[in-house]
């Protein structure tokens, strides 16, 4: 009968067809997954090649930057000024498949977090066992002047005076070599009692972001602080160059005066700077707005007429692969030499 179910060979043919269709579906899924994996692997390989090529171009950019900085410093050994429009101006150099962009900053115009301590020599001398003066490179002690400047910077950024002193003291304890808390500070015993225990650095910092782990520091406060911080590879007070310090950075000059001069007044002082810069620290600090502040000789000598540290931001885009680098150069000796590089964003 026409309405009877298919039996025998007809049913077997239907089962075979269903099996074939299932196999085709499985093979289609496997093929799709394989193609996706192949596409991903190809893209990863291309990104890797582009990243390696980009790093090679940026390292070539380092060499060019070192040459330009050497020329800048040698052009006038007694002072580094803003003449030539080199500070913060983006320079672009075309390369195959893209272009390298470089931007230079005076890396000394900031608060050096490593100035919270003294001793130990430069980080670059740690591997030698002794610094230039024969001091133990692994021993760092709290520097009161650095702590006072950090507290002043915190106050100028709107932090309560008591909290500012606590954070400054805790930051110094974070870097120094001993286990004895200083005024307002804390040491390992405090951090080891936290839910996620950790220890202090006990040495110079390589990046200002390490300050985020210090007792009392909060994310909003660090965001306000970050534009003014740096981590130079030396335990020295910030070598602020009065000839390159921008009016927008006037808070750093106010910091040196321990807040006796406000940022607005400091901005006016910087705005009156001669186009050719200052040739003498005595002339700068002898201005009527500064001479009556009663600052110590240590503070006035901390400022500089010439720059030693330069930071160069390098970037390149190769076929959608963006590679970034920040390079720190030391101009103490000629030619300028690279002392540190960091890949990617902070």
């Amino acid at each position: 009968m026409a309405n009877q179910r298919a039996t025998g060979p007809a049913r077997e043919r239907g089962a075979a067809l269903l099996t074939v269709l299932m196999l085709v579906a499985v093979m289609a899924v496997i093929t799709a997954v394989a193609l996706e994996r192949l596409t991903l692997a190809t893209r990863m390989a291309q990104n890797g090649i582009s990243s390696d090529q980009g790093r090679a171009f940026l390292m070539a950019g380092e060499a060019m930057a070192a040459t330009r900085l050497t020329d800048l410093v040698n052009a006038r050994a007694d002072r580094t000024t803003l003449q030539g429009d080199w500070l913060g101006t983006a320079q672009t150099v075309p390369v195959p498949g893209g272009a390298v962009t470089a931007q230079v900053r005076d890396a000394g115009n900031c608060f050096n977090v490593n100035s919270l301590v003294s001793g130990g020599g430069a980080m670059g001398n740690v591997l030698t066992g002794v610094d230039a003066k024969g001091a133990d490179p692994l021993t760092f002690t709290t520097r009161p002047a650095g702590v006072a400047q950090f507290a002043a910077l915190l106050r100028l950024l709107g932090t309560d005076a008591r909290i500012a002193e606590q954070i400054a003291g805790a930051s110094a304890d974070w870097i120094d070599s001993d286990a004895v808390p200083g005024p307002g500070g804390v040491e390992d015993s405090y951090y080891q009692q936290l839910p996620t225990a950790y220890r202090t650095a006990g040495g110079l910092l390589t990046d200002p972001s390490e300050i985020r782990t210090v007792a009392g520091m909060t994310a909003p406060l660090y965001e306000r602080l970050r534009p003014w911080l740096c981590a130079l590879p030396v335990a020295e007070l910030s070598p602020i160059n009065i000839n390159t310090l921008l009016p927008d950075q006037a808070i750093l000059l106010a910091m040196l005066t321990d807040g006796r001069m406000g940022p607005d007044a400091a901005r006016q002082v910087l705005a009156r700077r001669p186009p050719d810069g200052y040739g003498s620290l005595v002339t700068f600090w002898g201005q009527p707005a500064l001479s009556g502040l009663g600052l110590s000789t240590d503070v006035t000598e901390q400022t500089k007429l010439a720059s030693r540290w330069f930071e160069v931001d390098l970037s390149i885009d190769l076929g959608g692969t963006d590679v970034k680098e920040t390079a720190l150069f030391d101009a103490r000796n000629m030619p300028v030499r690279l002392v540190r590089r960091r890949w990617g964003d902070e």
Side-chain angles (χ1 to χ4, degrees):
M1 297 177 63
N3 60 353
Q4 287 183 338
R5 293 182 179 178
T7 58
R11 180 185 297 179
E12 293 175 359
R13 287 195 296 271
L17 178 61
L18 180 60
T19 301
V20 171
L21 292 176
M22 291 180 63
L23 288 173
V24 171
V26 171
M27 292 177 64
V29 172
I30 294 175
T31 302
V33 172
L35 289 174
E36 182 182 3
R37 297 283 180 87
L38 179 60
T39 301
L40 179 60
T42 302
R43 289 178 179 175
M44 290 178 64
Q46 290 175 343
N47 289 341
I49 293 172
S50 297
S51 179
D52 290 342
Q53 187 178 19
R55 290 193 177 204
F57 281 134
L58 293 188
M59 292 178 73
E62 288 176 5
M64 295 179 62
T67 300
R68 295 288 184 88
L69 290 173
T70 299
D71 292 341
L72 172 68
V73 175
N74 285 334
R76 195 161 191 178
D78 66 324
R79 70 185 77 171
T80 307
T81 70
L82 297 176
Q83 290 185 326
D85 198 28
W86 58 271
L87 184 67
T89 302
Q91 302 288 337
T92 302
V93 178
V95 297
V100 174
T101 301
Q103 195 169 16
V104 182
R105 297 194 303 274
D106 189 324
N109 290 342
C110 53
F111 175 77
N112 177 23
V113 292
N114 290 322
S115 70
L116 291 165
V117 297
S118 60
M123 289 180 65
N125 294 330
V126 169
L127 296 178
T128 68
V130 294
D131 66 2
K133 298 180 180 179
D136 181 356
L138 301 180
T139 301
F140 299 96
T141 58
T142 296
R143 173 186 275 119
V147 175
Q149 289 183 8
F150 194 30
L153 177 61
L154 287 163
R155 293 196 305 271
L156 289 166
L157 291 172
T159 306
D160 177 78
R162 181 178 59 84
I163 296 176
E165 291 177 2
Q166 290 177 347
I167 293 177
S171 299
D173 280 337
W174 182 266
I175 303 174
D176 68 20
S177 302
D178 61 50
V180 181
V186 294
E187 286 284 357
D188 286 343
S189 57
Y190 169 83
Y191 298 105
Q192 290 175 345
Q193 296 177 4
L194 298 177
T196 301
Y198 53 92
R199 301 184 63 182
T200 60
L204 300 188
L205 307 185
T206 58
D207 193 274
S209 61
E210 297 181 56
I211 288 292
R212 293 181 297 179
T213 56
V214 168
M217 184 63 64
T218 63
L221 177 56
Y222 177 75
E223 289 300 316
R224 295 202 306 272
L225 265 175
R226 180 61 189 94
W228 312 107
L229 301 182
C230 61
L232 299 177
V234 287
E236 298 175 358
L237 291 172
S238 306
I240 295 175
N241 184 352
I242 57 174
N243 285 328
T244 60
L245 193 66
L246 301 174
D248 290 344
Q249 298 173 307
I251 192 173
L252 295 172
L253 181 57
M255 174 193 75
L256 295 182
T257 70
D258 197 28
R260 300 174 200 176
M261 167 182 281
D264 291 339
R267 189 176 297 108
Q268 294 176 10
V269 169
L270 295 174
R272 292 194 296 267
R273 177 174 51 210
D276 195 32
Y278 290 99
S280 166
L281 290 176
V282 175
T283 301
F284 174 77
W285 289 108
Q287 298 178 80
L290 299 172
S291 59
L293 297 177
L295 302 179
S296 67
T297 304
D298 291 340
V299 172
T300 58
E301 292 181 350
Q302 176 184 344
T303 52
K304 308 297 178 184
L305 301 175
S307 300
R308 172 183 174 182
W309 302 100
F310 297 90
E311 202 164 55
V312 182
D313 292 324
L314 297 155
S315 64
I316 186 172
D317 186 351
L318 289 175
T321 301
D322 191 18
V323 185
K324 296 181 179 180
E325 177 194 354
T326 300
L328 180 66
F329 292 89
D330 184 358
R332 178 177 55 180
N333 299 314
M334 293 292 103
V336 170
R337 66 185 183 94
L338 175 72
V339 295
R340 186 172 65 205
R341 68 165 63 95
R342 183 183 71 240
W343 296 105
D345 294 322
E346 182 182 350

